[in-house]
């Protein structure tokens, strides 16, 4: 049950709208379901022979405004209190009597008309649809004083949560005042009328957020806004210093043919210029981003190397979030920027799910918890590295490292959900869990081809090699390596261990290192998570068609035996890159 409160100054105008057809003829059978005394005239149900709906509407307006006129200059300029209350689409349809109870409880809880107070404000509740009502009240009491209505929205929210619990309705998550402003009905109607997929406010919020991802300076942020195709207007003080900014979509104009500008603070609380300056000052990123784009093998593309680097940094962010410290709040902002960066530069096949994940997680980045010692330089530099590395392809190493990053970000999102849940942040925790679902979908899309190739390679391993690595996996993960029917599902993991051994690593030690990095209870598929961890730790190609790295100095070489030459000479199906069908196309 969602209440929405507004203030106005025209009682008659609002009543005309509530009893009228609506903007799209959506109002049906408008009628009163409750009023301050139960005897207010109802323009929708006046059945007398000489009834005139317009005259009845005028009488209702006069009755509501009576005390406003008596108060004269003492009445507030915006004397109309308007609260719409809507049930969830999955809820049962409430009766008129039940809606009357809802209205009475809300006007009592907010201070409009306290229970048992004969001088409460006058109000009516109008129903013109199955799923919601509108409460209209005039804010002058019978003693001609103004009602005490501090925190009326929070009080209305709290009362709605109580009604949901008592009546068995869907219980929504309570807000904490840190959410971004939702588009108005007029903005939504305009988007439909002009053929836009969403209101301008939402498009601008996402564009501003993406422009901020990994930005090192204020100037770079504004440059990115313009490069994204937005109209930008900088607000300056008399001294010439910038004090704010406004953005608008090209072609989005009002009735006067002027651009429709939105200040950053109206898009989201953390997108005002002062908040952006704090983020840039506290989290100065490395503008060279050498660690993000130059790590790893030189034959890998910049997008692949940037994603690998970001994966390790995201793992560390998850560890900090699981630590439960309030300082981890700063990591949430960095994770949001990492998601925005990945969504902008990822292949088309995964871009939609990653963009949806970034949108969901935007709610999880804001709460009333403030980190005093913010240090997110590493994660913001990782986001910057992804942006500067450019767009990744949907195949080869680029596609594999996209799956690697998405798999890790699933665990980060779940760690964020636990962090928020521990602090009672219901909306943020829900957004984090929704983010994880979108990331799982993106990971499945990106990992389909490389995982299929790895499973084929695992099944094609020589019997002795495969059994050796399956024994290693069972010893490390006694409950995770088998399906319910007892058949193994470790083909991709066994192939990865074989390739790691060929590259000079100790399989048992490497697997234990991967397991110890973080808990695996929240993983949808433990084996897949470990495959991506192992391939990153061992510097193996994320796509099995890529060439395997040469053994490094100081690492263990696989032993050769006359009875087990397959350990050092895998078959063509097991040798990475030996099958032309699994090789990535030439760039």
């Amino acid at each position: 049950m969602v209440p929405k409160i507004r203030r106005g100054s025209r009682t008659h105008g609002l009543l005309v709208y509530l009893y009228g057809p609506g903007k799209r003829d959506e109002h049906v059978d408008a009628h009163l379901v409750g009023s301050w005394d139960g005897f207010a005239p109802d323009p929708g149900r006046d059945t007398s022979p000489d009834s005139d709906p317009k005259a009845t509407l005028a009488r209702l307006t006069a009755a509501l405004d009576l005390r406003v006129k008596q108060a004269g200059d003492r009445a507030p300029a915006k004397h109309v209190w308007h609260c719409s209350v809507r049930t969830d689409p999955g809820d049962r349809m409430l009766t008129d009597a039940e809606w009357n109870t809802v209205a009475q409880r809300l006007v009592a809880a907010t201070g409009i008309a306290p229970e048992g107070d004969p001088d409460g404000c006058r109000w009516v509740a109008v129903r013109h649809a199955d799923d919601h009502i509108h409460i209209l009240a005039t804010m002058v009491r019978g003693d001609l004083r103004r009602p005490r209505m501090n925190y009326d929205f929070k009080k209305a929210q709290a009362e709605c949560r109580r009604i949901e619990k008592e009546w068995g309705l869907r219980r929504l998550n309570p807000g904490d005042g840190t959410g971004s402003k939702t588009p108005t009905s007029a903005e939504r109607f305009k988007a439909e009328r002009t053929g836009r997929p969403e209101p301008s406010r939402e498009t601008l919020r996402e564009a501003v957020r993406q422009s901020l991802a990994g930005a090192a300076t204020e100037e770079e942020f504004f440059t990115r806004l313009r490069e994204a195709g937005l109209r930008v207007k900088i607000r300056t003080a008399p001294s010439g210093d910038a004090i704010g900014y406004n953005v608008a979509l090209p072609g989005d104009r009002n009735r006067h043919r002027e651009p429709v500008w939105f200040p950053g603070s109206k898009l989201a609380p953390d997108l005002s210029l002062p908040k952006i300056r704090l983020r840039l000052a506290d989290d100065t990123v490395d503008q060279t981003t050498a660690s993000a784009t130059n790590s790893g093998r030189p034959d890998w593309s910049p997008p692949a190397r940037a994603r690998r680097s970001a994966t390790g940094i995201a793992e560390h962010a998850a560890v900090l979030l699981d630590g439960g410290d309030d300082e981890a709040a700063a990591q949430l902002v960095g994770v949001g920027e990492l998601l925005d960066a990945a969504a902008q530069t990822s292949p088309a096949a995964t871009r939609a799910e990653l963009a949806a994940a970034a949108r969901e997680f935007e709610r999880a980045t804001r709460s009333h918890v403030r980190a005093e010692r913010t240090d997110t330089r590493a994660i913001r530099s990782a986001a910057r590295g992804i942006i500067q590395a450019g767009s990744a392809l949907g195949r080869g190493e680029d596609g594999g490292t996209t799956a690697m990053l998405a798999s890790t970000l699933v665990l980060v999102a779940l760690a964020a959900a636990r962090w928020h849940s521990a602090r009672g942040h219901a909306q943020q925790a829900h957004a984090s869990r929704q983010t994880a679902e979108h990331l799982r979908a993106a990971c499945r899309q990106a990992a389909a081809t490389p995982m299929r190739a790895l499973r084929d390679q695992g099944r094609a391993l020589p019997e002795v090699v495969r059994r050796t690595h399956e024994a290693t996996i069972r010893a490390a993960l006694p409950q995770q390596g088998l399906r319910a029917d007892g058949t193994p599902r470790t083909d991709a993991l066994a192939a990865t261990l074989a390739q790691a051994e060929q590259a000079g690593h100790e399989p048992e030690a490497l697997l234990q290192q991967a397991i110890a990095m973080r808990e695996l209870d929240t993983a949808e598929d433990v084996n897949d998570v470990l495959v991506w961890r192992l391939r990153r730790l061992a510097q193996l190609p994320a796509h099995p068609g890529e060439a395997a790295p040469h053994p490094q100095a100081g690492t263990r070489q696989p032993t050769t035996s006359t009875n087990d030459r397959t350990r050092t000479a895998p078959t063509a199906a097991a040798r990475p890159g030996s099958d032309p069908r699994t090789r990535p196309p030439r760039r």
Side-chain angles (χ1 to χ4, degrees):
M1 186 172 285
V2 181
K4 188 173 183 179
I5 295 174
R6 292 171 287 258
R7 305 288 177 92
S9 58
R10 298 178 60 245
T11 306
H12 185 264
L14 179 55
L15 286 173
V16 168
Y17 167 74
L18 296 179
Y19 279 96
K23 295 182 178 179
R24 295 178 298 174
D25 295 326
E26 71 275 20
H27 295 177
V28 179
D29 186 25
H31 61 280
L32 289 184
V33 293
S35 65
W36 72 96
D37 61 357
F39 297 102
D42 185 358
R45 293 289 173 89
D46 190 348
T47 58
S48 58
D50 57 345
S51 64
D52 180 356
K54 291 184 178 180
T56 306
L57 194 68
R59 290 201 307 273
L60 179 59
T61 302
L64 286 167
D65 278 344
L66 174 63
R67 292 168 177 172
V68 176
K69 294 185 180 301
Q70 290 174 342
D73 294 340
R74 290 179 293 169
K78 291 190 173 182
H79 62 271
V80 177
W81 186 83
H82 175 204
C83 176
S84 59
V85 193
R86 188 180 300 272
T87 55
D88 185 77
D91 286 333
R92 62 181 176 84
M93 187 172 69
L94 303 185
T95 65
D96 283 356
E98 288 175 317
W99 277 122
N100 180 30
T101 301
V102 170
Q104 291 187 29
R105 291 181 62 166
L106 286 177
V107 295
T110 56
I112 289 288
E115 188 175 358
D117 184 356
D119 288 327
C121 299
R122 295 191 170 193
W123 60 272
V124 293
V126 180
R127 183 179 189 180
H128 53 212
D130 290 339
D131 62 348
H132 70 277
I133 61 170
H134 294 262
I135 305 172
L136 184 160
T138 48
M139 294 188 291
V140 178
R141 290 168 43 83
D143 53 13
L144 303 186
R145 293 187 291 114
R146 298 185 186 185
R148 300 182 63 180
M149 298 180 57
N150 296 331
Y151 308 107
D152 56 340
F153 177 71
K154 289 185 177 180
K155 293 175 181 177
Q157 284 270 19
E159 189 63 28
C160 284
R161 300 295 83 78
R162 285 189 285 269
I163 293 173
E164 290 164 356
K165 182 178 180 180
E166 293 171 14
W167 293 9
L169 305 177
R170 182 188 173 192
R171 299 175 67 178
L172 302 182
N173 294 322
D176 61 0
T178 61
S180 56
K181 182 176 174 58
T182 57
T184 64
S185 298
E187 290 172 0
R188 294 189 183 280
F189 292 150
K190 182 179 180 181
E192 294 178 10
R193 188 174 65 251
T194 57
R196 293 185 182 276
E198 62 185 2
S200 300
R201 183 189 300 274
E202 295 185 348
T203 303
L204 288 169
R205 180 165 56 243
E206 183 172 13
V208 172
R209 211 178 58 235
Q210 291 183 348
S211 298
L212 184 57
T217 64
E218 189 176 320
E219 292 72 20
E220 181 183 357
F221 166 62
F222 286 129
T223 299
R224 286 189 186 180
L225 287 178
R226 295 185 178 95
E227 290 175 348
L230 305 186
R231 302 187 66 172
V232 183
K233 181 170 63 177
I234 310 297
R235 302 196 305 275
T236 59
S239 62
D241 297 330
I243 58 174
Y245 70 98
N246 294 47
V247 289
L249 287 178
D252 185 19
R253 298 180 179 276
N254 58 22
R255 68 180 66 181
H256 304 296
R257 308 303 300 165
E258 299 169 340
V260 180
W261 296 100
F262 288 86
S265 60
K266 297 299 182 182
L267 298 176
D270 56 346
L271 293 182
S272 66
L273 187 56
K275 294 289 182 63
I276 289 174
R277 282 173 172 164
L278 284 175
R279 188 188 304 190
L280 296 176
D282 292 339
D283 309 323
T284 303
V285 300
D286 178 6
Q287 296 190 44
T288 62
T289 62
S291 62
T293 57
N294 295 332
S295 60
R297 292 169 47 197
D299 55 321
W300 289 336
S301 68
R305 282 179 280 159
R307 278 161 171 71
R308 278 181 174 270
S309 176
T311 300
I313 294 169
E315 279 272 8
H316 181 63
V319 171
L320 294 176
L321 287 166
D322 275 336
D325 197 318
D326 282 357
E327 296 303 314
Q331 296 298 316
L332 297 170
V333 177
V335 172
E337 292 196 22
L338 199 57
L339 282 167
D340 282 321
Q344 293 179 71
T345 59
S346 287
T350 56
R351 191 174 302 152
E353 290 292 349
L354 287 172
R359 282 195 171 195
E360 286 286 351
F361 199 76
E362 185 245 357
R363 182 67 189 93
T365 61
R366 293 191 302 272
S367 70
H368 289 300
V369 178
R370 292 290 178 265
E372 296 180 2
R373 301 180 301 277
T374 59
D375 185 3
T376 56
R377 285 171 292 183
I379 197 165
R380 294 199 69 242
S381 291
R384 181 180 182 81
I386 289 176
I387 294 290
Q388 292 194 335
S391 297
L393 299 175
R395 56 187 184 271
E397 190 67 12
D398 287 7
T401 50
T402 297
M404 180 184 291
L405 178 59
S407 175
T408 299
L409 286 173
V410 169
L411 302 182
V412 178
L414 293 174
R418 290 191 295 273
W419 188 89
H420 280 302
S421 294
R423 289 157 178 79
H425 303 162
Q427 289 188 355
Q428 292 91 330
H430 175 73
S432 299
R433 288 188 287 269
Q434 292 298 111
T435 300
E437 292 305 310
H438 288 296
L439 286 169
R440 283 190 174 115
C443 185
R444 285 193 292 266
Q445 292 168 346
T449 300
M451 277 296 180
R452 185 164 52 246
L454 276 173
R455 292 186 182 106
D456 290 343
Q457 291 179 6
R459 286 189 288 269
L461 284 172
E463 186 71 14
V464 175
V465 176
R466 185 164 56 83
R467 286 186 177 180
T468 299
H469 292 305
E470 285 180 354
T472 300
I473 295 167
R474 281 195 297 271
L477 300 167
Q479 301 300 325
Q480 300 292 349
L482 299 176
R483 287 197 185 98
D485 57 6
T487 58
R489 58 177 183 181
T490 58
D491 298 326
L493 190 53
T496 298
L497 287 175
Q499 293 167 16
E501 186 177 38
Q502 182 187 5
H505 297 276
E506 174 63 51
E508 294 86 351
L510 192 66
L511 182 57
Q512 289 297 335
Q513 182 183 353
I515 293 171
M517 287 174 64
R518 266 199 81 243
E519 54 81 22
L520 295 166
D521 294 342
T522 53
E524 189 176 44
D525 191 314
V526 170
N527 297 283
D528 287 358
V529 172
L530 288 175
V531 163
W532 296 122
R533 286 187 186 177
L534 288 168
R535 302 192 79 81
R536 183 173 62 82
L537 289 172
Q539 289 289 291
L540 296 173
H543 192 283
E546 301 281 355
H550 297 292
Q552 300 174 3
T555 55
R556 186 179 77 89
Q557 302 295 325
T559 57
T560 304
S561 169
T562 56
N563 297 326
D564 188 15
R565 294 188 181 276
T566 56
R567 296 277 288 188
T568 56
T571 63
R575 192 162 51 245
S578 59
D579 188 348
R581 293 172 298 177
T582 62
R583 289 177 185 156
R586 295 181 182 272
R587 298 185 188 277

